[in-house]
Amino acid sequence: MIRDIDPAQIIPPFPHTGNAAAATLPLPFAHAVRHRRLTPGDTVALFGMAGGASTAVRLLRW
């Protein structure tokens, strides 16, 4: 279980774009950039899921 993550920091893509499958990684990231929710040095975890057993995770420093 991941601790110390404020739910307000999570940007779910579905309310903004619906189920975009392969684009579920870049869309919330672009949303966060556009709305200035990232500052230099932030650690970002991008987590995407698609149909079946497809998942993708990317951890990066902004």
Side-chain angles (χ1 to χ4, degrees):
M1 184 168 130
I2 299 174
R3 300 175 193 269
D4 302 325
I5 294 179
D6 180 359
Q9 293 176 303
I10 298 171
I11 301 173
F14 300 109
H16 307 288
T17 60
N19 183 3
T24 55
L25 287 180
L27 286 173
F29 185 67
H31 178 83
V33 170
R34 186 172 43 255
H35 293 282
R36 300 175 195 240
R37 294 186 57 180
L38 293 174
T39 57
D42 282 349
T43 300
V44 179
L46 302 174
F47 178 78
M49 290 181 58
S54 301
T55 61
V57 178
R58 170 63 91 188
L59 185 63
L60 56 94
R61 177 131 1 237
W62 176 248

